[in-house]
Amino acid sequence: HTGMFTYDPGFVATASCRSAITYIDGDKGILRYRGYPIEQLAKEASFLEVAYLLMYGDLPSAEEMTKFDNTIRHHTMIKETLKSFFDGFQYDAHPMGIMVGVVGSLSAFYHDSLDINNPRHREISAHRLIAKMPTIAAASYKHNVGEAFIYPQNDLDYCENFLHMMFSNPCEEYTPDPVAVKAINTLFILHADHEQNASTSTVRLSGSSQANPFACIAAGIASLWGPSHGGANEAVLDMLNEIGDVSQIDKYIAKAKDKDDPFRLMGFGHRVYKNFDPRATLIREVCHEVLANMKGNDDNPLFELALRLEQVALEDEYFVERKLYPNVDFYSGIIYQALGIPTSMFTVMFAVARTVGWVAHWMEMMDDPEFRIGRPRQLYTGAPMRDYVPVDKR
Ligand code: SDX
């Protein structure tokens, strides 16, 4: 179930895995969570509503939503002793490195009391992870900027609470801008799940040995960090800053096409989407909204540059032939930057949102009576059988 392989005529092993959580049609640019089109969820739902949907398979009733919201709202604190864990990191440690370490350390806290074969214990672990990720993420940021950690507030909704923990300080309470809260809610929904991507497959494979779920999510964070995956949102901003202005676009498009040049157009291309990534289209709309409605962002040169870069690339036969379109990471960083979130935290934002997909897939796998440990097979391409030769004869 988790590692079933089929071989196509070209002897290229392709992994396949059955799941009822997310459906993608890469050619048509379709993405649905439990059958609901991402376009509707992004516009109508709250992030926690989508978290419930991904975990339990249906949208919650009002009563179920209240109960779920209360559960998450009342488990956002982390143990005080965990705060000293952050002190072990250099002030300039990358927040994703801190996230891998701190989330992994939760497996030490919640280990002895966790019976992996007990569905209720698994559900509690999933709830704890969803509840604590924003707190750990914000603490990673505060450690980076040398500010005091800010406690979560139980009277704030999930996204508001996250912004509060990020931007409040002991001297001044941050009042979340409704535009920012709505943008974070939409971005979290759009990043929540994406079928068997590298980090989700990492969580499933590590979880298939019945490993501690907190340790498995830490493995997912590590995989997401890579610039070919979730780390691309940070790489896009670095790329746009390197390009500088529209006069340099043609030069960088040429570099992206040059096989001898390692430069790739970050935020472009996808393993599955050979059409528009529907999330990129929705995120571009959020970008317009945030820049139009948040003071001090009206003329965002990076957004103008990104729009022009997208236009030039989509008119270039190299990208058209290879069906390379903007993906989820192309515009998200511009929004995060407009909200005051530093580049180093962009992939952390992705990890907070994707935790919901990771735990949903982990629960689906662990709840499946037929599930077995994953065991990827290989196509052996090494030396044929041969005898040992003593070193004085080599
Ligand atoms: C995410 O799996 C998921 O669902 C991931 C994700 C999720 O939600 O979990 O959607 C999130 O990871 C999005 C992807 C973020 N990464 C980037 O934006 C990094 C830049 N993109 C590339 O590294 C690349 O497009 C990948 C890694 C995303 C896909 O790599 P592939 O599978 O090698 O791309 P491909 O097979 O479609 O490439 C076809 C051709 C190749 O050239 P040729 O050998 O045919 O001549 O297109 C080229 C590639 O070299 N190509 C690019 C390119 N992406 C592919 N050339 C220039 N710039 C690019 N961005």
Side-chain angles (χ1 to χ4, degrees), residues 194 197-198 227-230 232 256 259 264-271 274 279 318-319 322 324 327-329 350 354:
H194 210 240
N197 57 87
S228 290
H229 191 8
K259 284 293 157 228
R264 294 185 100 163
L265 214 46
M266 300 316 279
F268 254 74
H270 199 275
R271 291 310 316 260
K274 299 309 171 190
R279 301 168 297 176
Y318 171 94
F319 292 90
R322 291 167 176 78
L324 302 176
N327 59 48
V328 68
D329 292 309
F350 198 150
R354 187 53 58 90

PDB file of all heavy atoms in Angstrom, residues 194 197-198 227-230 232 256 259 264-271 274 279 318-319 322 324 327-329 350 354, ligand 1:
ATOM      1  N   HIS A 194      -0.701  17.879  -1.129  1.00  0.00           N
ATOM      2  CA  HIS A 194      -0.486  17.781  -2.586  1.00  0.00           C
ATOM      3  C   HIS A 194      -0.128  16.365  -2.982  1.00  0.00           C
ATOM      4  O   HIS A 194       0.830  16.120  -3.707  1.00  0.00           O
ATOM      5  CB  HIS A 194       0.592  18.766  -3.053  1.00  0.00           C
ATOM      6  CG  HIS A 194       0.335  19.219  -4.463  1.00  0.00           C
ATOM      7  ND1 HIS A 194       1.215  19.022  -5.487  1.00  0.00           N
ATOM      8  CD2 HIS A 194      -0.728  19.838  -5.010  1.00  0.00           C
ATOM      9  CE1 HIS A 194       0.719  19.497  -6.612  1.00  0.00           C
ATOM     10  NE2 HIS A 194      -0.467  20.008  -6.352  1.00  0.00           N
ATOM     11  N   ASN A 197       3.828  14.071  -2.878  1.00  0.00           N
ATOM     12  CA  ASN A 197       5.043  14.863  -3.120  1.00  0.00           C
ATOM     13  C   ASN A 197       6.172  14.322  -2.253  1.00  0.00           C
ATOM     14  O   ASN A 197       5.968  13.457  -1.407  1.00  0.00           O
ATOM     15  CB  ASN A 197       4.755  16.328  -2.787  1.00  0.00           C
ATOM     16  CG  ASN A 197       4.278  16.468  -1.361  1.00  0.00           C
ATOM     17  OD1 ASN A 197       5.069  16.592  -0.459  1.00  0.00           O
ATOM     18  ND2 ASN A 197       2.969  16.399  -1.173  1.00  0.00           N
ATOM     19  N   ALA A 198       7.378  14.834  -2.472  1.00  0.00           N
ATOM     20  CA  ALA A 198       8.560  14.251  -1.819  1.00  0.00           C
ATOM     21  C   ALA A 198       8.437  14.226  -0.299  1.00  0.00           C
ATOM     22  O   ALA A 198       8.735  13.202   0.344  1.00  0.00           O
ATOM     23  CB  ALA A 198       9.797  15.042  -2.238  1.00  0.00           C
ATOM     24  N   PRO A 227      15.588  23.040  -2.139  1.00  0.00           N
ATOM     25  CA  PRO A 227      15.166  24.065  -3.106  1.00  0.00           C
ATOM     26  C   PRO A 227      14.383  23.492  -4.291  1.00  0.00           C
ATOM     27  O   PRO A 227      13.689  24.211  -4.988  1.00  0.00           O
ATOM     28  CB  PRO A 227      16.481  24.696  -3.580  1.00  0.00           C
ATOM     29  CG  PRO A 227      17.543  23.732  -3.190  1.00  0.00           C
ATOM     30  CD  PRO A 227      17.042  22.980  -1.995  1.00  0.00           C
ATOM     31  N   SER A 228      14.458  22.179  -4.500  1.00  0.00           N
ATOM     32  CA  SER A 228      13.633  21.613  -5.590  1.00  0.00           C
ATOM     33  C   SER A 228      12.195  21.412  -5.125  1.00  0.00           C
ATOM     34  O   SER A 228      11.312  21.140  -5.930  1.00  0.00           O
ATOM     35  CB  SER A 228      14.211  20.252  -6.013  1.00  0.00           C
ATOM     36  OG  SER A 228      15.434  20.455  -6.668  1.00  0.00           O
ATOM     37  N   HIS A 229      11.978  21.537  -3.833  1.00  0.00           N
ATOM     38  CA  HIS A 229      10.638  21.281  -3.259  1.00  0.00           C
ATOM     39  C   HIS A 229      10.162  22.556  -2.558  1.00  0.00           C
ATOM     40  O   HIS A 229      10.140  23.616  -3.174  1.00  0.00           O
ATOM     41  CB  HIS A 229      10.763  20.070  -2.316  1.00  0.00           C
ATOM     42  CG  HIS A 229       9.478  19.477  -1.829  1.00  0.00           C
ATOM     43  ND1 HIS A 229       8.234  19.825  -2.280  1.00  0.00           N
ATOM     44  CD2 HIS A 229       9.263  18.514  -0.883  1.00  0.00           C
ATOM     45  CE1 HIS A 229       7.313  19.112  -1.654  1.00  0.00           C
ATOM     46  NE2 HIS A 229       7.899  18.306  -0.787  1.00  0.00           N
ATOM     47  N   GLY A 230       9.887  22.511  -1.315  1.00  0.00           N
ATOM     48  CA  GLY A 230       9.329  23.685  -0.625  1.00  0.00           C
ATOM     49  C   GLY A 230      10.311  24.830  -0.495  1.00  0.00           C
ATOM     50  O   GLY A 230       9.900  25.982  -0.360  1.00  0.00           O
ATOM     51  N   ALA A 232      11.813  26.191  -2.648  1.00  0.00           N
ATOM     52  CA  ALA A 232      11.798  27.010  -3.866  1.00  0.00           C
ATOM     53  C   ALA A 232      11.212  28.392  -3.598  1.00  0.00           C
ATOM     54  O   ALA A 232      11.612  29.372  -4.236  1.00  0.00           O
ATOM     55  CB  ALA A 232      11.003  26.311  -4.961  1.00  0.00           C
ATOM     56  N   ALA A 256      18.480  30.027 -17.861  1.00  0.00           N
ATOM     57  CA  ALA A 256      17.606  28.909 -17.444  1.00  0.00           C
ATOM     58  C   ALA A 256      17.536  27.850 -18.534  1.00  0.00           C
ATOM     59  O   ALA A 256      17.349  26.664 -18.253  1.00  0.00           O
ATOM     60  CB  ALA A 256      16.213  29.426 -17.128  1.00  0.00           C
ATOM     61  N   LYS A 259      21.794  24.358 -20.840  1.00  0.00           N
ATOM     62  CA  LYS A 259      22.036  23.093 -20.117  1.00  0.00           C
ATOM     63  C   LYS A 259      23.328  23.131 -19.308  1.00  0.00           C
ATOM     64  O   LYS A 259      23.468  22.429 -18.313  1.00  0.00           O
ATOM     65  CB  LYS A 259      22.115  21.924 -21.135  1.00  0.00           C
ATOM     66  CG  LYS A 259      20.767  21.496 -21.669  1.00  0.00           C
ATOM     67  CD  LYS A 259      19.913  20.860 -20.590  1.00  0.00           C
ATOM     68  CE  LYS A 259      18.440  20.938 -20.897  1.00  0.00           C
ATOM     69  NZ  LYS A 259      17.649  21.420 -19.764  1.00  0.00           N
ATOM     70  N   ARG A 264      18.214  27.560 -12.747  1.00  0.00           N
ATOM     71  CA  ARG A 264      16.860  27.198 -13.223  1.00  0.00           C
ATOM     72  C   ARG A 264      15.905  28.286 -12.775  1.00  0.00           C
ATOM     73  O   ARG A 264      16.169  28.993 -11.793  1.00  0.00           O
ATOM     74  CB  ARG A 264      16.423  25.861 -12.622  1.00  0.00           C
ATOM     75  CG  ARG A 264      17.262  24.722 -13.098  1.00  0.00           C
ATOM     76  CD  ARG A 264      16.750  23.398 -12.606  1.00  0.00           C
ATOM     77  NE  ARG A 264      15.969  22.710 -13.632  1.00  0.00           N
ATOM     78  CZ  ARG A 264      15.698  21.397 -13.547  1.00  0.00           C
ATOM     79  NH1 ARG A 264      16.072  20.735 -12.499  1.00  0.00           N
ATOM     80  NH2 ARG A 264      15.019  20.796 -14.494  1.00  0.00           N
ATOM     81  N   LEU A 265      14.800  28.407 -13.481  1.00  0.00           N
ATOM     82  CA  LEU A 265      13.812  29.418 -13.121  1.00  0.00           C
ATOM     83  C   LEU A 265      13.058  28.897 -11.896  1.00  0.00           C
ATOM     84  O   LEU A 265      12.194  28.032 -11.999  1.00  0.00           O
ATOM     85  CB  LEU A 265      12.852  29.612 -14.295  1.00  0.00           C
ATOM     86  CG  LEU A 265      12.300  30.995 -14.543  1.00  0.00           C
ATOM     87  CD1 LEU A 265      13.381  32.056 -14.479  1.00  0.00           C
ATOM     88  CD2 LEU A 265      11.582  31.045 -15.886  1.00  0.00           C
ATOM     89  N   MET A 266      13.429  29.377 -10.712  1.00  0.00           N
ATOM     90  CA  MET A 266      12.802  28.881  -9.497  1.00  0.00           C
ATOM     91  C   MET A 266      11.323  29.267  -9.456  1.00  0.00           C
ATOM     92  O   MET A 266      10.947  30.343  -9.913  1.00  0.00           O
ATOM     93  CB  MET A 266      13.524  29.439  -8.267  1.00  0.00           C
ATOM     94  CG  MET A 266      14.998  29.050  -8.210  1.00  0.00           C
ATOM     95  SD  MET A 266      15.295  27.329  -8.615  1.00  0.00           S
ATOM     96  CE  MET A 266      14.914  26.567  -7.072  1.00  0.00           C
ATOM     97  N   GLY A 267      10.508  28.344  -8.976  1.00  0.00           N
ATOM     98  CA  GLY A 267       9.067  28.598  -8.964  1.00  0.00           C
ATOM     99  C   GLY A 267       8.400  28.233 -10.275  1.00  0.00           C
ATOM    100  O   GLY A 267       7.211  28.448 -10.454  1.00  0.00           O
ATOM    101  N   PHE A 268       9.212  27.655 -11.183  1.00  0.00           N
ATOM    102  CA  PHE A 268       8.657  27.202 -12.477  1.00  0.00           C
ATOM    103  C   PHE A 268       8.846  25.699 -12.620  1.00  0.00           C
ATOM    104  O   PHE A 268       9.838  25.154 -12.166  1.00  0.00           O
ATOM    105  CB  PHE A 268       9.402  27.910 -13.617  1.00  0.00           C
ATOM    106  CG  PHE A 268       8.608  28.988 -14.281  1.00  0.00           C
ATOM    107  CD1 PHE A 268       8.392  30.205 -13.648  1.00  0.00           C
ATOM    108  CD2 PHE A 268       8.038  28.779 -15.528  1.00  0.00           C
ATOM    109  CE1 PHE A 268       7.646  31.201 -14.256  1.00  0.00           C
ATOM    110  CE2 PHE A 268       7.287  29.777 -16.151  1.00  0.00           C
ATOM    111  CZ  PHE A 268       7.099  30.989 -15.511  1.00  0.00           C
ATOM    112  N   GLY A 269       7.906  25.046 -13.280  1.00  0.00           N
ATOM    113  CA  GLY A 269       8.014  23.617 -13.552  1.00  0.00           C
ATOM    114  C   GLY A 269       7.427  22.785 -12.426  1.00  0.00           C
ATOM    115  O   GLY A 269       7.258  23.271 -11.303  1.00  0.00           O
ATOM    116  N   HIS A 270       7.104  21.543 -12.742  1.00  0.00           N
ATOM    117  CA  HIS A 270       6.503  20.662 -11.731  1.00  0.00           C
ATOM    118  C   HIS A 270       6.557  19.229 -12.229  1.00  0.00           C
ATOM    119  O   HIS A 270       6.462  18.967 -13.423  1.00  0.00           O
ATOM    120  CB  HIS A 270       5.034  21.061 -11.484  1.00  0.00           C
ATOM    121  CG  HIS A 270       4.518  20.544 -10.190  1.00  0.00           C
ATOM    122  ND1 HIS A 270       4.003  19.288 -10.051  1.00  0.00           N
ATOM    123  CD2 HIS A 270       4.479  21.114  -8.965  1.00  0.00           C
ATOM    124  CE1 HIS A 270       3.651  19.093  -8.792  1.00  0.00           C
ATOM    125  NE2 HIS A 270       3.930  20.188  -8.098  1.00  0.00           N
ATOM    126  N   ARG A 271       6.710  18.290 -11.271  1.00  0.00           N
ATOM    127  CA  ARG A 271       6.758  16.881 -11.648  1.00  0.00           C
ATOM    128  C   ARG A 271       5.423  16.422 -12.218  1.00  0.00           C
ATOM    129  O   ARG A 271       5.366  15.525 -13.053  1.00  0.00           O
ATOM    130  CB  ARG A 271       7.080  16.017 -10.406  1.00  0.00           C
ATOM    131  CG  ARG A 271       8.446  16.114  -9.825  1.00  0.00           C
ATOM    132  CD  ARG A 271       9.592  15.964 -10.793  1.00  0.00           C
ATOM    133  NE  ARG A 271       9.505  14.916 -11.775  1.00  0.00           N
ATOM    134  CZ  ARG A 271      10.109  13.751 -11.669  1.00  0.00           C
ATOM    135  NH1 ARG A 271      10.784  13.474 -10.592  1.00  0.00           N
ATOM    136  NH2 ARG A 271      10.040  12.860 -12.646  1.00  0.00           N
ATOM    137  N   LYS A 274       1.572  19.684 -15.872  1.00  0.00           N
ATOM    138  CA  LYS A 274       2.090  20.059 -17.204  1.00  0.00           C
ATOM    139  C   LYS A 274       1.118  21.060 -17.808  1.00  0.00           C
ATOM    140  O   LYS A 274       0.915  21.134 -18.996  1.00  0.00           O
ATOM    141  CB  LYS A 274       2.240  18.809 -18.073  1.00  0.00           C
ATOM    142  CG  LYS A 274       3.218  17.783 -17.479  1.00  0.00           C
ATOM    143  CD  LYS A 274       4.555  18.421 -17.102  1.00  0.00           C
ATOM    144  CE  LYS A 274       5.469  17.496 -16.301  1.00  0.00           C
ATOM    145  NZ  LYS A 274       6.638  18.209 -15.755  1.00  0.00           N
ATOM    146  N   ARG A 279      -2.805  26.360  -7.984  1.00  0.00           N
ATOM    147  CA  ARG A 279      -2.474  27.127  -6.761  1.00  0.00           C
ATOM    148  C   ARG A 279      -1.758  28.423  -7.134  1.00  0.00           C
ATOM    149  O   ARG A 279      -1.948  29.463  -6.505  1.00  0.00           O
ATOM    150  CB  ARG A 279      -1.613  26.268  -5.851  1.00  0.00           C
ATOM    151  CG  ARG A 279      -2.266  24.958  -5.425  1.00  0.00           C
ATOM    152  CD  ARG A 279      -1.283  24.037  -4.771  1.00  0.00           C
ATOM    153  NE  ARG A 279      -0.224  23.656  -5.719  1.00  0.00           N
ATOM    154  CZ  ARG A 279       0.820  22.900  -5.357  1.00  0.00           C
ATOM    155  NH1 ARG A 279       0.943  22.467  -4.106  1.00  0.00           N
ATOM    156  NH2 ARG A 279       1.747  22.598  -6.244  1.00  0.00           N
ATOM    157  N   TYR A 318      11.017  27.261 -25.263  1.00  0.00           N
ATOM    158  CA  TYR A 318      11.673  26.289 -24.370  1.00  0.00           C
ATOM    159  C   TYR A 318      10.704  25.910 -23.250  1.00  0.00           C
ATOM    160  O   TYR A 318      10.503  24.742 -22.952  1.00  0.00           O
ATOM    161  CB  TYR A 318      12.949  26.905 -23.780  1.00  0.00           C
ATOM    162  CG  TYR A 318      13.600  26.092 -22.686  1.00  0.00           C
ATOM    163  CD1 TYR A 318      14.627  25.180 -22.979  1.00  0.00           C
ATOM    164  CD2 TYR A 318      13.182  26.195 -21.358  1.00  0.00           C
ATOM    165  CE1 TYR A 318      15.235  24.422 -21.977  1.00  0.00           C
ATOM    166  CE2 TYR A 318      13.768  25.436 -20.358  1.00  0.00           C
ATOM    167  CZ  TYR A 318      14.788  24.566 -20.662  1.00  0.00           C
ATOM    168  OH  TYR A 318      15.372  23.803 -19.669  1.00  0.00           O
ATOM    169  N   PHE A 319      10.058  26.891 -22.651  1.00  0.00           N
ATOM    170  CA  PHE A 319       9.157  26.639 -21.517  1.00  0.00           C
ATOM    171  C   PHE A 319       7.832  26.067 -22.003  1.00  0.00           C
ATOM    172  O   PHE A 319       7.262  25.174 -21.380  1.00  0.00           O
ATOM    173  CB  PHE A 319       8.945  27.940 -20.726  1.00  0.00           C
ATOM    174  CG  PHE A 319      10.191  28.388 -20.016  1.00  0.00           C
ATOM    175  CD1 PHE A 319      11.095  29.226 -20.642  1.00  0.00           C
ATOM    176  CD2 PHE A 319      10.478  27.918 -18.743  1.00  0.00           C
ATOM    177  CE1 PHE A 319      12.271  29.603 -20.005  1.00  0.00           C
ATOM    178  CE2 PHE A 319      11.657  28.292 -18.087  1.00  0.00           C
ATOM    179  CZ  PHE A 319      12.558  29.137 -18.724  1.00  0.00           C
ATOM    180  N   ARG A 322       8.258  22.386 -22.994  1.00  0.00           N
ATOM    181  CA  ARG A 322       8.444  21.522 -21.823  1.00  0.00           C
ATOM    182  C   ARG A 322       7.306  21.659 -20.813  1.00  0.00           C
ATOM    183  O   ARG A 322       7.349  21.087 -19.737  1.00  0.00           O
ATOM    184  CB  ARG A 322       9.796  21.829 -21.163  1.00  0.00           C
ATOM    185  CG  ARG A 322      10.997  21.402 -22.015  1.00  0.00           C
ATOM    186  CD  ARG A 322      12.294  21.986 -21.497  1.00  0.00           C
ATOM    187  NE  ARG A 322      13.442  21.483 -22.265  1.00  0.00           N
ATOM    188  CZ  ARG A 322      13.774  21.937 -23.463  1.00  0.00           C
ATOM    189  NH1 ARG A 322      13.049  22.900 -24.042  1.00  0.00           N
ATOM    190  NH2 ARG A 322      14.812  21.439 -24.106  1.00  0.00           N
ATOM    191  N   LEU A 324       6.377  24.075 -18.899  1.00  0.00           N
ATOM    192  CA  LEU A 324       6.831  24.617 -17.609  1.00  0.00           C
ATOM    193  C   LEU A 324       6.017  25.862 -17.271  1.00  0.00           C
ATOM    194  O   LEU A 324       6.069  26.855 -17.975  1.00  0.00           O
ATOM    195  CB  LEU A 324       8.319  24.969 -17.699  1.00  0.00           C
ATOM    196  CG  LEU A 324       9.243  23.804 -18.078  1.00  0.00           C
ATOM    197  CD1 LEU A 324      10.684  24.302 -18.225  1.00  0.00           C
ATOM    198  CD2 LEU A 324       9.168  22.684 -17.055  1.00  0.00           C
ATOM    199  N   ASN A 327       4.652  27.495 -10.525  1.00  0.00           N
ATOM    200  CA  ASN A 327       4.080  26.566  -9.554  1.00  0.00           C
ATOM    201  C   ASN A 327       3.746  27.287  -8.258  1.00  0.00           C
ATOM    202  O   ASN A 327       3.857  28.520  -8.178  1.00  0.00           O
ATOM    203  CB  ASN A 327       5.042  25.386  -9.307  1.00  0.00           C
ATOM    204  CG  ASN A 327       6.390  25.846  -8.782  1.00  0.00           C
ATOM    205  OD1 ASN A 327       6.464  26.660  -7.846  1.00  0.00           O
ATOM    206  ND2 ASN A 327       7.458  25.373  -9.391  1.00  0.00           N
ATOM    207  N   VAL A 328       3.389  26.551  -7.264  1.00  0.00           N
ATOM    208  CA  VAL A 328       2.875  27.122  -6.006  1.00  0.00           C
ATOM    209  C   VAL A 328       3.873  28.079  -5.364  1.00  0.00           C
ATOM    210  O   VAL A 328       3.500  28.982  -4.616  1.00  0.00           O
ATOM    211  CB  VAL A 328       2.525  25.980  -5.018  1.00  0.00           C
ATOM    212  CG1 VAL A 328       3.798  25.257  -4.540  1.00  0.00           C
ATOM    213  CG2 VAL A 328       1.706  26.473  -3.851  1.00  0.00           C
ATOM    214  N   ASP A 329       5.157  27.896  -5.692  1.00  0.00           N
ATOM    215  CA  ASP A 329       6.188  28.689  -5.008  1.00  0.00           C
ATOM    216  C   ASP A 329       6.509  30.012  -5.694  1.00  0.00           C
ATOM    217  O   ASP A 329       7.275  30.809  -5.152  1.00  0.00           O
ATOM    218  CB  ASP A 329       7.473  27.858  -4.911  1.00  0.00           C
ATOM    219  CG  ASP A 329       7.285  26.681  -3.977  1.00  0.00           C
ATOM    220  OD1 ASP A 329       6.823  26.905  -2.848  1.00  0.00           O
ATOM    221  OD2 ASP A 329       7.563  25.543  -4.390  1.00  0.00           O
ATOM    222  N   PHE A 350       5.451  27.125   4.634  1.00  0.00           N
ATOM    223  CA  PHE A 350       5.005  25.972   3.844  1.00  0.00           C
ATOM    224  C   PHE A 350       4.885  24.742   4.773  1.00  0.00           C
ATOM    225  O   PHE A 350       3.903  24.012   4.739  1.00  0.00           O
ATOM    226  CB  PHE A 350       6.041  25.691   2.747  1.00  0.00           C
ATOM    227  CG  PHE A 350       5.568  24.832   1.595  1.00  0.00           C
ATOM    228  CD1 PHE A 350       6.105  25.004   0.326  1.00  0.00           C
ATOM    229  CD2 PHE A 350       4.628  23.836   1.775  1.00  0.00           C
ATOM    230  CE1 PHE A 350       5.687  24.194  -0.759  1.00  0.00           C
ATOM    231  CE2 PHE A 350       4.213  23.025   0.726  1.00  0.00           C
ATOM    232  CZ  PHE A 350       4.745  23.212  -0.536  1.00  0.00           C
ATOM    233  N   ARG A 354       1.711  22.424   5.440  1.00  0.00           N
ATOM    234  CA  ARG A 354       1.791  21.047   4.933  1.00  0.00           C
ATOM    235  C   ARG A 354       1.699  20.017   6.054  1.00  0.00           C
ATOM    236  O   ARG A 354       1.373  18.854   5.803  1.00  0.00           O
ATOM    237  CB  ARG A 354       3.078  20.857   4.118  1.00  0.00           C
ATOM    238  CG  ARG A 354       3.233  19.547   3.388  1.00  0.00           C
ATOM    239  CD  ARG A 354       2.076  19.147   2.486  1.00  0.00           C
ATOM    240  NE  ARG A 354       1.738  20.083   1.454  1.00  0.00           N
ATOM    241  CZ  ARG A 354       2.261  20.093   0.227  1.00  0.00           C
ATOM    242  NH1 ARG A 354       3.198  19.230  -0.087  1.00  0.00           N
ATOM    243  NH2 ARG A 354       1.861  20.953  -0.668  1.00  0.00           N
TER     244      ARG A 354
HETATM  245  C1  SDX B   1       6.946  21.925  -5.097  1.00  0.00           C
HETATM  246  O1  SDX B   1       5.579  17.238  -5.961  1.00  0.00           O
HETATM  247  C2  SDX B   1       4.885  18.240  -5.581  1.00  0.00           C
HETATM  248  O2  SDX B   1       3.684  18.242  -5.638  1.00  0.00           O
HETATM  249  C3  SDX B   1       5.682  19.407  -5.039  1.00  0.00           C
HETATM  250  C4  SDX B   1       4.861  20.622  -4.645  1.00  0.00           C
HETATM  251  C5  SDX B   1       4.001  20.323  -3.447  1.00  0.00           C
HETATM  252  O3  SDX B   1       2.982  21.030  -3.273  1.00  0.00           O
HETATM  253  O4  SDX B   1       4.384  19.455  -2.630  1.00  0.00           O
HETATM  254  O5  SDX B   1       4.044  21.011  -5.722  1.00  0.00           O
HETATM  255  C6  SDX B   1       5.750  21.791  -4.245  1.00  0.00           C
HETATM  256  O6  SDX B   1       7.946  21.342  -4.776  1.00  0.00           O
HETATM  257  C7  SDX B   1       6.850  22.726  -6.370  1.00  0.00           C
HETATM  258  C8  SDX B   1       8.185  22.699  -7.168  1.00  0.00           C
HETATM  259  C9  SDX B   1       9.098  23.765  -6.563  1.00  0.00           C
HETATM  260  N1  SDX B   1      10.430  23.689  -7.184  1.00  0.00           N
HETATM  261  C10 SDX B   1      10.862  24.671  -8.028  1.00  0.00           C
HETATM  262  O7  SDX B   1      10.179  25.614  -8.407  1.00  0.00           O
HETATM  263  C11 SDX B   1      12.314  24.512  -8.453  1.00  0.00           C
HETATM  264  C12 SDX B   1      12.436  24.815  -9.947  1.00  0.00           C
HETATM  265  N2  SDX B   1      11.752  23.719 -10.641  1.00  0.00           N
HETATM  266  C13 SDX B   1      12.591  22.640 -11.150  1.00  0.00           C
HETATM  267  O8  SDX B   1      13.642  22.316 -10.269  1.00  0.00           O
HETATM  268  C14 SDX B   1      11.753  21.469 -11.659  1.00  0.00           C
HETATM  269  O9  SDX B   1      10.761  21.976 -12.422  1.00  0.00           O
HETATM  270  C15 SDX B   1      11.166  20.488 -10.703  1.00  0.00           C
HETATM  271  C16 SDX B   1      12.150  19.997  -9.686  1.00  0.00           C
HETATM  272  C17 SDX B   1      10.012  21.080  -9.993  1.00  0.00           C
HETATM  273  C18 SDX B   1      10.723  19.323 -11.557  1.00  0.00           C
HETATM  274  O10 SDX B   1      11.910  18.796 -12.087  1.00  0.00           O
HETATM  275  P1  SDX B   1      11.826  17.798 -13.286  1.00  0.00           P
HETATM  276  O11 SDX B   1      10.854  16.695 -12.960  1.00  0.00           O
HETATM  277  O12 SDX B   1      13.185  17.425 -13.720  1.00  0.00           O
HETATM  278  O13 SDX B   1      11.147  18.674 -14.397  1.00  0.00           O
HETATM  279  P2  SDX B   1      10.764  18.086 -15.751  1.00  0.00           P
HETATM  280  O14 SDX B   1      11.045  16.620 -15.876  1.00  0.00           O
HETATM  281  O15 SDX B   1       9.377  18.531 -16.031  1.00  0.00           O
HETATM  282  O16 SDX B   1      11.800  18.856 -16.733  1.00  0.00           O
HETATM  283  C19 SDX B   1      11.546  18.806 -18.103  1.00  0.00           C
HETATM  284  C20 SDX B   1      12.578  19.718 -18.730  1.00  0.00           C
HETATM  285  C21 SDX B   1      14.018  19.344 -18.395  1.00  0.00           C
HETATM  286  O17 SDX B   1      14.773  19.824 -19.484  1.00  0.00           O
HETATM  287  P3  SDX B   1      15.179  18.723 -20.653  1.00  0.00           P
HETATM  288  O18 SDX B   1      16.041  17.689 -19.953  1.00  0.00           O
HETATM  289  O19 SDX B   1      13.862  18.136 -21.169  1.00  0.00           O
HETATM  290  O20 SDX B   1      15.902  19.540 -21.681  1.00  0.00           O
HETATM  291  O21 SDX B   1      12.391  21.069 -18.255  1.00  0.00           O
HETATM  292  C22 SDX B   1      13.583  21.507 -17.632  1.00  0.00           C
HETATM  293  C23 SDX B   1      14.336  20.259 -17.221  1.00  0.00           C
HETATM  294  O22 SDX B   1      15.722  20.550 -17.149  1.00  0.00           O
HETATM  295  N3  SDX B   1      13.166  22.293 -16.460  1.00  0.00           N
HETATM  296  C24 SDX B   1      13.538  23.549 -16.232  1.00  0.00           C
HETATM  297  C25 SDX B   1      12.877  23.918 -15.064  1.00  0.00           C
HETATM  298  N4  SDX B   1      12.133  22.894 -14.623  1.00  0.00           N
HETATM  299  C26 SDX B   1      12.327  21.882 -15.492  1.00  0.00           C
HETATM  300  N5  SDX B   1      14.378  24.392 -16.894  1.00  0.00           N
HETATM  301  C27 SDX B   1      14.522  25.632 -16.360  1.00  0.00           C
HETATM  302  N6  SDX B   1      13.899  26.058 -15.218  1.00  0.00           N
HETATM  303  C28 SDX B   1      13.079  25.229 -14.561  1.00  0.00           C
HETATM  304  N7  SDX B   1      12.477  25.651 -13.441  1.00  0.00           N
END
